[in-house]
Amino acid sequence: MLDIGAQHGNRHGALHGGIIACILDNAMGYGAAMHSSKDGSDKFLTISMNTQFIAPALKGRVTATGKVTGGGRNLMFLEGELHDEDGRLLATATGVYKKVREAQS
């Protein structure tokens, strides 16, 4: 979730695409973690990500969600969506995430 401010804008006054991609990446990574462990403590790295920008976000609050669409124990496939506070779809993304194995002590 992000409340859009002037500092988040591109030169056209809309939410910058890099910020949109970052928000979607975080939502999908968190979705993978929550799918993998009940408390979301598992860690995932982004292997690949594709973002589609559908509509500009000019003001207000945006919210991203991530949903697991497939995969196994170590690789997960996810879809993400970014909506404005009126429910309008602003961007979508797909990504592949890899579970990080903790170092053995």
Side-chain angles (χ1 to χ4, degrees), residues 6-23:
Q7 72 274 22
H8 303 121
N10 60 20
R11 64 188 182 110
H12 307 291
L15 181 60
H16 193 283
I19 294 174
I20 291 171
C22 180
I23 293 169

Side-chain angles (χ1 to χ4, degrees), residues 1-10 12-17 19-20 23 55-64 82-86 88 90-91:
M1 186 177 335
L2 173 72
D3 291 318
I4 300 171
Q7 72 274 22
H8 303 121
N10 60 20
H12 307 291
L15 181 60
H16 193 283
I19 294 174
I20 291 171
I23 293 169
L58 303 171
K59 61 182 179 172
R61 178 174 285 182
V62 295
T63 303
L82 183 73
H83 292 87
D84 67 12
E85 55 196 4
D86 295 325
R88 184 173 62 126
L90 305 172

Side-chain angles (χ1 to χ4, degrees), residues 9-58:
N10 60 20
R11 64 188 182 110
H12 307 291
L15 181 60
H16 193 283
I19 294 174
I20 291 171
C22 180
I23 293 169
L24 285 165
D25 185 31
N26 277 287
M28 291 188 295
Y30 184 69
M34 290 302 294
H35 184 82
S36 176
S37 61
K38 290 183 183 194
D39 64 356
S41 63
D42 286 347
K43 297 178 176 101
F44 284 82
L45 297 174
T46 308
I47 301 300
S48 67
M49 184 176 158
N50 188 5
T51 306
Q52 299 76 39
F53 303 99
I54 297 167
L58 303 171

Side-chain angles (χ1 to χ4, degrees), residues 58-88:
L58 303 171
K59 61 182 179 172
R61 178 174 285 182
V62 295
T63 303
T65 56
K67 174 182 157 187
V68 175
T69 60
R73 290 187 326 166
N74 294 316
L75 280 181
M76 290 202 185
F77 304 95
L78 284 97
E79 293 177 347
E81 291 186 348
L82 183 73
H83 292 87
D84 67 12
E85 55 196 4
D86 295 325
R88 184 173 62 126

